[in-house]
């Protein structure tokens, strides 16, 4: 049993609960939320059922969702942006922030400002 068997059982076959093997409330909610039509419903349900037994959550979704095949495309994170270590270091020093925060700052400031910061920190005016 895997998560896809459970999703298919909730949306297509509407059979009885398949057991706890491969069942994870969080992952079921995550997969079902990939459908735009069900995103808001899943959001409401997950706030109130996070500690519910798998069988009870299964029965809730089975009764709530229509019997139809759902094409659930998993949304992955965008590829991580590569940062130059020198830029991270100078922005962290300039704004007195952590290196993780510096990466966020680099995304927000324009190239000219970044060059100015690099020149100031490196002592080049």
């Amino acid at each position: 049993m895997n998560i896809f068997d459970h999703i298919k059982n909730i949306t297509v076959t509407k059979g009885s609960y398949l057991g706890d093997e491969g069942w994870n409330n969080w992952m079921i909610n995550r997969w079902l939320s990939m459908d735009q039509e069900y995103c808001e419903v899943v959001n409401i349900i997950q706030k109130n059922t996070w500690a519910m037994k798998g069988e009870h959550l299964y029965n809730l979704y089975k009764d709530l969702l229509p019997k139809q095949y759902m094409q659930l495309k998993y949304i992955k994170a965008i590829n991580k942006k590569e940062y130059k270590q020198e830029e991270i270091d100078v922005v962290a020093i300039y704004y007195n922030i952590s290196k993780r925060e510096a990466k966020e700052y680099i995304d927000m400031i324009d190239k000219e400002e970044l060059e100015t910061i690099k020149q100031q920190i490196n002592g080049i005016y």
Side-chain angles (χ1 to χ4, degrees):
M1 242 2 85
N2 61 35
I3 192 163
F4 305 110
D5 296 327
H6 289 291
I7 297 291
K8 183 179 178 183
N9 199 29
I10 289 171
T11 58
V12 179
T13 59
K14 300 284 187 176
S16 60
Y17 183 60
L18 300 174
D20 288 335
E21 182 184 346
W23 182 273
N24 180 309
N25 286 358
W26 185 82
M27 285 301 294
I28 296 294
N29 287 329
R30 184 172 177 141
W31 272 97
L32 291 175
S33 71
M34 296 299 157
D35 187 304
Q36 289 181 352
E37 293 179 25
Y38 303 134
C39 188
E40 290 182 41
V41 172
V42 171
N43 186 40
I44 293 168
I45 289 173
Q46 74 181 355
K47 288 178 185 177
N48 300 302
T49 61
W50 61 272
M52 184 181 274
K53 287 186 177 182
E55 184 174 5
H56 299 299
L57 184 60
Y58 168 80
N59 288 325
L60 177 65
Y61 277 131
K62 183 180 87 168
D63 294 338
L64 186 64
L65 300 178
K67 184 176 182 176
Q68 67 181 14
Y69 174 77
M70 296 170 59
Q71 178 84 22
L72 300 172
K73 184 176 180 183
Y74 192 80
I75 301 171
K76 298 178 185 176
I78 299 172
N79 293 338
K80 292 185 178 182
K81 183 177 177 183
E82 296 293 324
Y83 299 92
K84 295 180 183 174
Q85 190 60 46
E86 177 194 12
E87 292 176 350
I88 295 170
D89 293 338
V90 296
V91 170
I93 292 168
Y94 185 81
Y95 288 108
N96 194 25
I97 56 175
S98 71
K99 292 183 179 185
R100 181 184 54 81
E101 291 173 312
K103 292 176 184 178
E104 295 173 8
Y105 277 51
I106 291 170
D107 291 337
M108 293 186 282
I109 60 178
D110 59 25
K111 298 280 185 200
E112 293 172 5
E113 185 176 354
L114 182 59
E115 286 302 316
T116 303
I117 292 170
K118 284 172 35 179
Q119 290 174 358
Q120 288 178 359
I121 296 299
N122 293 329
I124 303 170
Y125 293 96

